[in-house]
């Protein structure tokens, strides 16, 4: 009888936990998945607009590539569908699902050395946990041996408690991200980088956490992404996103990580456009940046024009 009561208490607690998780999950998703859910609602459907040239990457691409300039220059339809916070792991899943619905002629994938570094709290966990199937999660674990992800999977309902404040305050669960003037993901930034805070301090505060060796999992998923695009007979190239020269001097592993990315592209026979290849990027000054990570609208204009010159010269 004693053990039966214990069993009933466990069942009751699990039932309460399930009900609480069901109530909090929409609020948790609204807080952790807006960028991913916006991407799927806008682009992963046959009714969504198709692009001849697709630019993809993280926020550096989202704020740094003005697709209108490329559309005018190539007399085609170019689209910036970058997702803020996207890593090489999430890039694989997002592009895979996008390419199931669309058939662009070229995928231009923006890369930054920090995305090749080891990450303590990967931004792609919510995507895998909330928007991917159990079989896809198992595939990731089988390929990455990521025990931290396994722990997150087991404790997923507990994570929903982080949204209790949003639930109590009655905050909306709908995702309502603004659409840019270009109709895609390009979001020009107007501000200029702070001139009062020393540049070295800004680099330290924003990038020092990524001053680590390469992460085999991220590199593996970059390779999977490249092979995926190639398997569909779609042209693909990698290009480095704009960055101040001072960053490489301050971040010990930056050069090695850039070389890792370039080597991966060479191994798979993919064009790699470095910052040295893009003449205009070396002329970008601090006033062309909104912060140490992103160019502002003026910087995006200059960088996009110079990048397109290089892409055009490749005759892809």
């Amino acid at each position: 009888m004693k053990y039966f009561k214990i069993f009933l208490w466990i069942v009751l607690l699990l039932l309460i936990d399930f009900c609480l998780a069901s109530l909090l999950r929409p609020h948790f998703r609204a807080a952790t998945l807006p960028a991913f859910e916006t991407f799927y609602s806008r682009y992963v459907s046959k009714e969504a607009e198709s692009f001849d040239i697709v630019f993809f990457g993280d926020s550096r691409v989202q704020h740094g590539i003005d697709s209108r300039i490329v559309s005018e220059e190539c007399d085609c339809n170019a689209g910036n569908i970058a997702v803020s916070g996207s890593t090489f792991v999430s890039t694989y899943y997002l592009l895979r699902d996008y390419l199931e619905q669309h058939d662009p002629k070229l995928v231009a994938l923006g890369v930054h050395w920090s995305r090749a570094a080891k990450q303590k709290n990967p931004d792609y966990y919510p995507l895998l946990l909330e928007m991917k199937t159990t079989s896809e999660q198992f595939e990731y674990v089988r390929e990455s041996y990521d025990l931290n992800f396994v722990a997150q999977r087991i404790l997923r309902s507990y994570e929903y408690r982080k949204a209790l404040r949003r639930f109590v305050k009655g905050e909306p669960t709908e995702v309502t991200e603004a659409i840019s003037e270009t109709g895609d993901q390009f979001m020009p930034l107007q501000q200029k980088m702070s001139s009062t805070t020393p540049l070295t301090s800004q680099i330290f505060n924003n990038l020092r956490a990524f001053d680590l060796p390469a992460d085999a999992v991220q590199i593996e998923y970059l390779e999977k992404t490249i092979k995926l695009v190639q398997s569909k007979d779609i042209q693909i190239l990698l290009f480095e996103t704009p960055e101040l020269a001072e960053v490489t001097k301050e971040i010990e592993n930056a050069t090695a990580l850039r070389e890792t990315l370039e080597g991966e592209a060479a191994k798979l026979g993919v064009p790699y456009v470095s910052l040295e290849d893009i003449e205009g990027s070396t002329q970008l000054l601090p006033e062309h940046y909104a912060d140490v990570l992103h160019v502002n609208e003026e910087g995006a204009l200059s960088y996009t024009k110079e990048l397109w010159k290089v892409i055009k010269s490749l005759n892809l």
Side-chain angles (χ1 to χ4, degrees):
M1 187 66 179
K2 175 183 177 182
Y3 293 108
F4 181 70
K5 289 182 177 179
I6 294 175
F7 173 76
L8 286 180
W9 273 111
I10 292 174
V11 171
L12 179 61
L13 289 173
L14 289 175
L15 182 61
I16 293 173
D17 183 74
F18 175 79
C19 294
L20 184 61
S22 298
L23 285 173
L24 296 180
R25 188 186 182 197
H27 296 272
F28 178 81
R29 288 173 64 99
T32 58
L33 293 168
F36 294 131
E37 292 196 331
T38 298
F39 176 84
Y40 277 93
S41 64
R42 289 181 183 172
Y43 305 112
V44 184
S45 70
K46 292 182 179 179
E47 292 73 27
E49 181 180 8
S50 293
F51 300 106
D52 301 306
I53 300 176
V54 166
F55 289 91
F56 197 82
D58 61 11
S59 59
R60 296 173 179 84
V61 176
Q62 183 179 19
H63 301 303
I65 298 296
D66 189 338
S67 52
R68 296 170 297 186
I69 295 173
V70 179
S71 294
E72 292 173 2
E73 292 289 334
C74 71
D75 193 25
C76 64
N77 192 17
N80 180 338
I81 60 170
V83 175
S84 178
S86 188
T87 64
F88 292 141
V89 174
S90 56
T91 290
Y92 168 75
Y93 290 106
L94 296 173
L95 268 182
R96 183 199 65 181
D97 295 344
Y98 176 82
L99 294 178
E100 286 180 358
Q101 305 291 340
H102 303 281
D103 186 29
K105 297 176 182 177
L106 170 67
V107 172
L109 181 59
V111 296
H112 186 263
W113 58 264
S114 65
R115 291 308 182 187
K118 291 181 178 295
Q119 297 182 33
K120 296 180 180 179
N121 297 299
D123 295 335
Y124 55 83
Y125 276 7
L127 172 69
L128 287 173
L129 289 169
E130 294 295 327
M131 303 186 75
K132 294 302 161 191
T133 64
T134 301
S135 62
E136 289 172 318
Q137 295 171 12
F138 177 78
E139 176 191 18
Y140 168 75
V141 173
R142 179 171 53 83
E143 295 183 353
S144 67
Y145 299 101
D146 189 345
L147 297 182
N148 184 40
F149 176 79
V150 175
Q152 292 283 336
R153 177 68 176 81
I154 295 172
L155 299 173
R156 180 168 58 169
S157 63
Y158 179 79
E159 289 292 304
Y160 294 155
R161 287 162 175 77
K162 293 180 180 178
L164 182 60
R165 180 186 60 81
R166 294 176 61 90
F167 173 75
V168 172
K169 294 178 67 175
E171 295 183 12
T173 58
E174 296 80 11
V175 176
T176 56
E177 285 203 349
I179 299 177
S180 72
E181 295 178 0
T182 62
D184 60 8
Q185 296 288 89
F186 174 57
M187 291 285 184
L189 299 175
Q190 305 300 325
Q191 69 267 28
K192 293 187 177 182
M193 188 163 57
S194 171
S195 58
T196 57
T197 304
L199 182 57
T200 53
S201 297
Q202 296 184 58
I203 294 173
F204 181 88
N205 293 334
N206 289 278
L207 291 167
R208 184 64 67 182
F210 299 98
D211 194 3
L212 298 166
D215 184 352
V217 175
Q218 294 295 333
I219 300 303
E220 178 183 354
Y221 270 83
L222 173 61
E223 182 175 331
K224 283 167 64 76
T225 301
I226 293 172
K227 290 181 176 179
L228 167 71
V229 177
Q230 291 175 327
S231 70
K232 295 179 176 292
D233 293 324
I234 297 171
Q235 296 284 348
I236 181 172
L237 67 85
L238 306 187
F239 67 92
E240 290 184 342
T241 50
E243 183 166 76
L244 288 165
E246 288 81 357
V247 172
T248 304
K249 300 175 184 177
E250 295 292 329
I251 303 298
E252 181 179 351
N253 286 288
T255 299
L257 290 169
R258 288 178 65 190
E259 291 173 350
T260 297
L261 295 174
E262 189 168 6
E264 192 67 24
K267 182 178 75 173
L268 297 173
V270 173
Y272 186 90
V273 182
S274 69
L275 289 176
E276 288 73 23
D277 296 325
I278 307 170
E279 182 180 350
S281 68
T282 60
Q283 300 171 0
L284 293 181
L285 303 173
E287 55 261 34
H288 294 122
Y289 286 79
D291 53 50
V292 77
L293 302 178
H294 310 100
V295 291
N296 55 30
E297 186 170 21
E298 184 180 355
L301 175 65
S302 175
Y303 176 77
T304 303
K305 286 182 177 179
E306 297 300 327
L307 173 63
W308 175 246
K309 290 179 183 178
V310 179
I311 294 177
K312 188 177 180 180
S313 70
L314 294 175
N315 296 317
L316 297 175

